[in-house]
Amino acid sequence: MKIVIQTDGLTKQFGNFTAVDNISFKVQKGEIFGFLGANGAGKTTAMRMLCGLSLPTSGKGMVAGYDIEQEPEKVKRSIGYMSQKFSLYEDLKVWENIRLFAGIYGMKSKDIALKTDALLKQLGFESERDSYVKSLPLGWKQKLAFSVAIFHEPKIVFLDEPTGGVDPATRRQFWELIYEAADRGITVFVTTHYMDEAEYCDRVSIMVDGRIDALDTPKSLKNQFNANNMDEVFHQLARKAQRSDN
Amino acid sequence: MNLYQQFIRGSQFWAFVKKEFRHIMRDNRTVLILLGMPIVEIILFGFAITTEVNNSKLAILDPSNDKATLHIVREMEASKYFNVVKIIHSTSEIATVFNRGEVDMVIIFGNDFNEKLNHTGGAQIQLVADATNPNVAVTLNNYASSIILQYQMELMMQQKVPYQIKPEIKLLYNPSMKSSFNFVPGVMGMILMLICAMMTSISIVREKETGTMEVLLVSPMKPLNIIIAKAVPYLVLSFVNLVTILLLSVFVLHVPVAGSIFSLTLVSIIFILVSLCLGLLISTISDTQVAAMLISGMALMMPVMLLSGMMFPVENMPKPLQVISHLIPAKWYIMAVKKIMIEGLPLKYALKEIGVLCLMAVVLIGISLKKFKIRLE
Amino acid sequence: MYAIQVEGLSKNYHSAKSGKYAGLGKPSASPDQVDGVTFDVHQGEIFGIIGPDGAGKTTLFRILTTLLVPDSGTAKVDGYDVVTELKDIRQRVGYMPGKFSLYQDMTVEENLNFFATVFNTTVEENYELVKDIYQQIEPFKTRRAGKLSGGMKQKLALSCALIHKPSVLFLDEPTTGVDPVSRKEFWGMLRKLKEQGITILVSTPYMDEAFLCDRIALIQDGIFLQIDSPQGIIDQFAQTLWAVRSNNMSKLLRDLRAHPAVDTCFAFGDVHHVTLSNDSYTIAELHDYLAQLGHSTIEVHVIKAGIEDCYMQLARRVDPHSNNH
């Protein structure tokens, strides 16, 4: 299997504070990788480094075959990103958002037009093509935002708490989109506060105080910690945390 | 029990005021802006952005060479605006000295200047200035005219002859044509407006943004008290700034307070009240601090700078702009301050301005109270 | 005695942001008839309002805390009307809005003192009530609120909302964005407050928190889907629910959906939850169907529904298209 993310002793320090402490892991192509941790455990900092937005203090990281320190621009071109806080421009229409983000990633106009039609059809959004994003229900927005994030067929898509505040049915449909993307070979790197969502992941890592304290399939983690579900696993690990910070 | 309750209410109010001061004092940037801004503006307007022209080079063509012309030339030389660098002897030289850039202005006296001045009244004097920079040329002309006019007045006083002198107010109260006389009232109007309106609206809107306003509204504290308590610190700060500006203007710019301090304070209080109400109004229509800042900037600062007469004379503006300028509180405040502080006139001469400001205050307080909600919508 | 009584409450407004009607209650067929929400909360109860963002939770909280006036219906808090007796209510409720973030530039101690004064009391007077919670952050009392961690901020905010010993506490999404460990801790604190007789109305988008409430209301698009104890809601789940697993989970999802007898099928962690439109269908039959399609290590068994299953079923019943966006 091809490895698309590989870190080796990745560390980020802010003054005396070690936000990310020597983390090493690998993620394979097409894998759904859950990146869990309590608030302030260092998830966001680690994710920023992997997206080429922040330089590591020490250690190495390769994303989509590029070094995150030497070639951050190439890293950015090979990934997609979506978060709960920012996803789409509310005051642009649905097709305008797609056009914009596809353009940013250098897709050709003709390809964009063709793919836009296919995407709207697949999502059942044909009638919303000319709607402003702000008029869509939250769940639709999140689904559209995800589709836009993978529109340019990135090698990896980073999702930062993508399903916060969404109703249960939409949350599941959202995960179905994630499955489809993974089936197409797109690697999915996702953080979440919903512990049931951790079960959807192929493998899960749990960060505590800047370190990765556990990394395995949900099944083995449950066995290892003698737990019924991921919630219990998470609690056993996160309870040991010395720090909690935002 | 009643007394106790009153005491509690009182301490509630002061606790709120204390909290507001904490917000201000803990944000170094705000403190710097609030207290540093008047100083910077006074110094900027007083020194850097000055319309004064000093030590300009002057040439004299004086065929009369009598008592009067010599006196005027001496006065010119004595002023800080002019240095007489050349004496020329014929009109043909004028073009040459200008072309060589040797002088900025040439003063040409007519023949038999003193004679004509004292008897026929038709003494001739011509001012020729290099108008490549029109502003400088106009300023130089004004300086020179003012010096000549002054000489004429002296003559008048000696001879007790009523002449056809046309006194210009500006020159009367600002004989040295110092631009600071014009800018100090302007800066006062601008700073007070900025602090009261902009800062008050921002601080109220900030509480909306952080959700603390919801909690305060749900508390037993009277909503009106919340607003008054929020305004108190800015009222205090405005006074600090008022004092700073006055001290700076008296001791650094040498612009004295010619009228009564009491009148000046009274006018300022009314203006501060108007500004606070404007801030309150802005806070009711904006939901974010950025919006509050933009609205205060666009709706208050720009008109104050451009239409209040602080920088550009209102009289020269097209009619519609003049009408709009009447609606700007700062314009009336600046006019009142000019009268009281610069011209030293008693309060009754500024009654019109004060009346307009009072009317504005009443209307704005009325609207604010009406618009102010004890709920969220 | 009821701490909160709500009848036919609605508040609809045209949202400038989305260009659509939002809020609480739903306009029905005739324009002047509105389906509002109706419920009661007993004294000393923890009552949860559970539903996604935009369902109308915050509007309900703002009406009950006198910040908004309803379009129709009545609401009483502690026996006082939210429209006419606003002052009485403001004396006796505690409120933590969703975006509440304290005064970031004031210390922990200053924040608490300030809110105590605003509510006409002192920290000393009601220290007993907040002691358990406040003691955990007391070591940091000289630290500015902006420098506290998420969990500590939450504790301080709760202390501030409690400092005047309110009889009813309104907590609007206190755990949103908070990690599971801090969330559990927070609910522990609420249980202790309940023991002291405080009524708590709390909203949350997290369905798993339902079981920490005495009773819950499931809310969607401004209307209540159901009101009951969490157990009561689960007991009323009408259909048989199966958990299905195989070696290829995403193919399994497609195959199950394609089956004519399958009513709904959703991914639930490491299994898919399936309801059937036809209850006579058996486990063995489904097993065979999947085996034919090439699935291996197939597991099918009947399970008890969770709150999420119930929510999805109820939401579908109200708006059959809601799952097909």
Side-chain angles (χ1 to χ4, degrees), chain C residues 32-84:
Chain C
D32 37 45
Q33 252 208 324
V34 176
D35 291 330
V37 300
T38 302
F39 69 105
D40 298 311
V41 179
H42 301 283
Q43 219 149 44
E45 193 176 24
I46 299 185
F47 194 95
I49 309 285
I50 300 181
D53 289 2
K57 302 192 294 286
T58 300
T59 308
L60 173 64
F61 274 72
R62 286 182 170 166
I63 294 173
L64 293 178
T65 51
T66 74
L67 288 170
L68 290 178
V69 177
D71 294 341
S72 68
T74 57
K76 284 190 166 142
V77 174
D78 240 8
Y80 296 99
D81 187 276
V82 293
V83 179
T84 56

Side-chain angles (χ1 to χ4, degrees), chain C residues 170-200:
Chain C
F170 293 94
L171 307 171
D172 191 10
E173 298 209 13
T175 54
T176 296
V178 177
D179 67 71
V181 175
S182 306
R183 260 157 56 191
K184 200 154 271 182
E185 216 180 8
F186 189 80
W187 280 95
M189 294 186 272
L190 297 190
R191 300 296 322 177
K192 277 193 189 154
L193 290 174
K194 174 194 153 80
E195 283 164 22
Q196 308 207 36
I198 294 178
T199 309
I200 300 170

